[in-house]
Amino acid sequence: MVGVGTQMIDLAPGPLKDWAVKNLGTADKPILVGGVLVAVAVFAMAAGVIGLKRPRVALGMTVLLGLLAILAAATGRSLATNGVVRVLPGVITLLVATAGMYLVLRSRGYSLRGSRKQPPEADATATSSLTTTGSPTSGASATAGQAAGAEIAGTEAGTETAGAHAAIPEAEAPSGFDRRKFLVTTFALGAVGAGGAVVSRVLPGGVDEATRRAIRIPAAASRAKVLPAGVAANVAGVSPFVTPNKSFYRVDTLLTVPKVDPRNWELRVHGMVDRELRLNFADLLNRRLVERDITLTCVSNEVGGPYVGNARWIGVPIAEILREAGVQAGADAVKSTSVDGLTIGTPLQALTDGRDALFALGMNGEPLPFDHGFPVRMVVPGLYGYVSATKWIVDFEVTRFDDFSAYWTDRGWAVEAPIKTASRIDVPKGFARVKPGPAVAAGVAWAQHRGIAKVEVQVDDGPWQEAQLADEAGIDIWRQWTFRWNATSGNHTLTVRATDKTGQVQTADRAAPRPNGSSGLHNTVVMVE
Ligand SMILES: Nc1nc2c(c(=O)[nH]1)N[C@H]1C(S)=C(S)[C@@H](COP(=O)(O)O)O[C@H]1N2
Ligand SMILES: [Mo]
């Protein structure tokens, strides 16, 4: 089922996917999973109903569904496990479910060779059992539950119909319908489905949370700069300066997060290099580690949106690895690939020009969370995540932009995408009620690797007024701001804009996130009364 879902993500038209990211946010995946579950359940029930009259058609639909699921698992982009291992749970579940169905039928006195006179219940059972076949992963317990529901519904319908078709010849009629036995079998099949799911989770050699937590990352040889005392605006409601891992935004294409075993992990550095390197997790832990605060931003972030976060990363400088490998003349890009096969293209220059581009191993004092790329991901200051921040990275190929295209650029996003200068009002929230008199607004601004020089706020159509900037922690890090104003009765619109340290003023021209990031000014309406 997750295989089907992932394929849907890859095949989904760009606009639909953008819509999902924008409107469903991190909930887009549960909704997709739910959608696939419902579709499968409806399909199963349809097969069950058809099966009342035409068992073979229902059986055909069932097998088709099972094969579709296996196909999805087989063709899905995954380097985590080879094809055979990936489809194994699906195949096993399909076989067991079919055998189970056969047993159910036999226990009820039917021969599978019997044609249209089979009892309709048989087909409901078959269909629903196979429903679990298509769900060899996390959603499967839910699938199993739904399938069981569908089976029970099918049984009821079937029982009625069996009564209505009393004309079935004695010899071929059910030898008595044992409801209890049927339910037990049904739930046993559900359990098999769930078992298949568990097997599929365990097979790729994934690790658990305890193993992740047990990893000790040595202290960095180069620590993060000590934060100035005043990096926070200290206004209730402003985003915390360091975004906790739990609330850090997450954007990727996956329904199930890879749980790569660091003991088996390896990064291959190759392509236009003098020496190919193969680095394992221990190799990276033993290298010179660097700790940096870096603010990440997603290109899909709308003006005023939530897809930006700041964390303290620890890892190995990518430039040092590249120096060791020896970059050859003519190369201008790196194509990195994650364990699930997703590709990202990054300008070589951003990895070698002295900025803190890292193979990150840790985030905010712990090993990378699974959601954020465990065991190793890229972090490159100044570039949107889709061109720089490869999570679960396994392959790093020095190459030329002319020689490849990456996952998102194949879907209409720009090849090069530096983060645009941006600012956001965190407080007051839109349509907040504010008391007349002295009031405060506050928020964050970012222009990674250029730095924020100024933030201004405009009340209605008034003049731009300078906000007070919190201390700067570094040019790769967002900066908080506070604006004090005198609120008068009525509705007012506050608009914010930032100026980066190159002197560029944030543009008021509105642009959608695609192809290279949104632009425009964030504003918020407050009601003063
Ligand atoms: N393997 C992989 N890495 C990925 C992505 C992805 O879909 N798959 N998404 C990228 C995008 S679009 C962004 S904005 C960042 C988000 O990182 P986060 O989820 O840790 O916040 O990861 C990047 N790295
Ligand atoms: Mo992104």
Side-chain angles (χ1 to χ4, degrees):
M1 203 246 354
V2 169
V4 173
T6 307
Q7 287 288 61
M8 280 173 61
I9 292 176
D10 282 359
L11 300 176
L16 177 65
K17 200 166 350 193
D18 301 345
W19 178 86
V21 169
K22 184 171 136 200
N23 294 298
L24 309 178
T26 308
D28 63 344
K29 292 178 184 76
I31 290 171
L32 173 63
V33 171
V36 173
L37 277 174
V38 169
V40 167
V42 166
F43 190 91
M45 285 191 282
V49 170
I50 291 170
L52 297 179
K53 291 236 170 69
R54 323 198 69 188
R56 280 179 180 172
V57 173
L59 191 66
M61 286 172 76
T62 297
V63 171
L64 185 75
L65 189 63
L67 291 179
L68 261 177
I70 291 173
L71 190 75
T75 58
R77 62 192 153 63
S78 171
L79 304 177
T81 47
N82 64 48
V84 176
V85 174
R86 248 185 294 141
V87 299
L88 209 58
V91 173
I92 291 173
T93 316
L94 176 71
L95 291 179
V96 173
T98 311
M101 170 183 75
Y102 175 77
L103 289 179
V104 171
L105 291 175
R106 241 197 24 190
S107 75
R108 291 163 55 193
Y110 283 92
S111 149
L112 263 186
R113 258 168 277 145
S115 60
R116 293 185 177 198
K117 284 172 188 154
Q118 280 179 38
E121 299 90 327
D123 304 292
T125 310
T127 307
S128 312
S129 309
L130 283 159
T131 303
T132 57
T133 305
S135 35
T137 21
S138 68
S141 48
T143 317
Q146 291 218 13
E151 282 157 39
I152 291 162
T155 303
E156 242 119 52
T159 313
E160 275 172 34
T161 318
H165 291 267
I168 296 173
E170 263 309 311
E172 285 172 87
S175 58
F177 175 64
D178 183 341
R179 196 182 189 92
R180 224 189 76 169
K181 198 169 180 182
F182 177 76
L183 284 178
V184 166
T185 317
T186 293
F187 282 107
L189 290 180
V192 167
V198 170
V199 167
S200 79
R201 294 305 295 263
V202 170
L203 266 182
V207 292
D208 57 11
E209 175 65 9
T211 310
R212 186 188 73 82
R213 287 212 161 265
I215 291 170
R216 291 281 158 260
I217 299 175
S222 170
R223 305 293 297 263
K225 272 207 240 110
V226 175
L227 293 176
V231 291
N234 274 328
V235 175
V238 177
S239 323
F241 178 76
V242 176
T243 313
N245 289 353
K246 271 203 288 297
S247 46
F248 206 97
Y249 82 90
R250 175 187 161 205
V251 172
D252 54 61
T253 61
L254 296 176
L255 295 173
T256 42
V257 171
K259 305 250 164 109
V260 179
D261 188 336
R263 286 161 297 200
N264 303 329
W265 179 87
E266 193 179 65
L267 178 65
R268 181 172 173 232
V269 178
H270 63 113
M272 297 172 69
V273 294
D274 297 334
R275 284 164 297 279
E276 183 170 326
L277 306 177
R278 281 174 186 274
L279 303 162
N280 63 33
F281 193 68
D283 294 336
L284 291 190
L285 283 179
N286 288 328
R287 295 184 70 106
R288 188 182 85 89
L289 296 182
V290 164
E291 180 190 62
R292 294 291 183 266
D293 294 323
I294 297 167
T295 299
L296 237 59
T297 310
C298 182
V299 71
S300 295
N301 198 41
E302 299 275 352
V303 170
Y307 298 149
V308 53
N310 181 48
R312 178 159 290 189
W313 309 92
I314 184 167
V316 174
I318 292 175
E320 291 176 15
I321 303 286
L322 283 171
R323 215 171 300 134
E324 238 172 79
V327 174
Q328 294 174 350
D332 64 0
V334 164
K335 175 191 176 193
S336 54
T337 308
S338 64
V339 72
D340 60 298
L342 180 132
T343 52
I344 281 180
T346 309
L348 194 56
Q349 198 217 327
L351 304 174
T352 52
D353 67 2
R355 74 183 80 188
D356 293 311
L358 301 177
F359 287 124
L361 315 169
M363 179 180 185
N364 289 333
E366 56 172 295
L368 287 181
F370 291 118
D371 281 356
H372 297 289
F374 181 84
V376 181
R377 75 172 304 167
M378 286 171 59
V379 173
V380 183
L383 306 183
Y384 286 118
Y386 83 104
V387 290
S388 69
T390 317
K391 302 193 276 189
W392 315 292
I393 189 173
V394 293
D395 194 277
F396 191 79
E397 180 185 356
V398 179
T399 176
R400 291 146 35 96
F401 275 118
D402 283 349
D403 294 343
F404 77 103
S405 64
Y407 183 85
W408 293 107
T409 55
D410 284 342
R411 287 158 176 79
W413 297 84
V415 172
E416 302 222 20
I419 296 171
K420 295 181 179 178
T421 299
S423 53
R424 185 178 75 194
I425 302 169
D426 287 345
V427 276
K429 297 277 171 237
F431 301 106
R433 283 165 203 279
V434 171
K435 292 228 159 20
V440 60
V444 287
W446 59 90
Q448 288 95 318
H449 213 55
R450 295 183 300 279
I452 291 292
K454 184 160 76 173
V455 169
E456 295 162 290
V457 175
Q458 184 188 41
V459 181
D460 301 321
D461 296 325
W464 285 101
Q465 297 175 265
E466 240 179 285
Q468 189 196 334
L469 283 177
D471 287 348
E472 182 183 56
I475 60 170
D476 296 334
I477 308 166
W478 64 9
R479 196 159 179 188
Q480 305 206 345
W481 57 267
T482 310
F483 177 70
R484 291 176 197 284
W485 60 299
N486 188 42
T488 55
S489 297
N491 289 356
H492 296 291
T493 303
L494 300 178
T495 307
V496 64
R497 76 176 182 196
T499 302
D500 68 28
K501 286 187 161 176
T502 70
Q504 192 75 45
V505 181
Q506 183 183 342
T507 178
D509 296 340
R510 291 203 74 103
R514 200 204 296 252
N516 65 349
S518 65
S519 70
L521 304 182
H522 187 213
N523 62 40
T524 196
V525 174
V526 293
M527 305 192 301
V528 183
E529 52 196 28

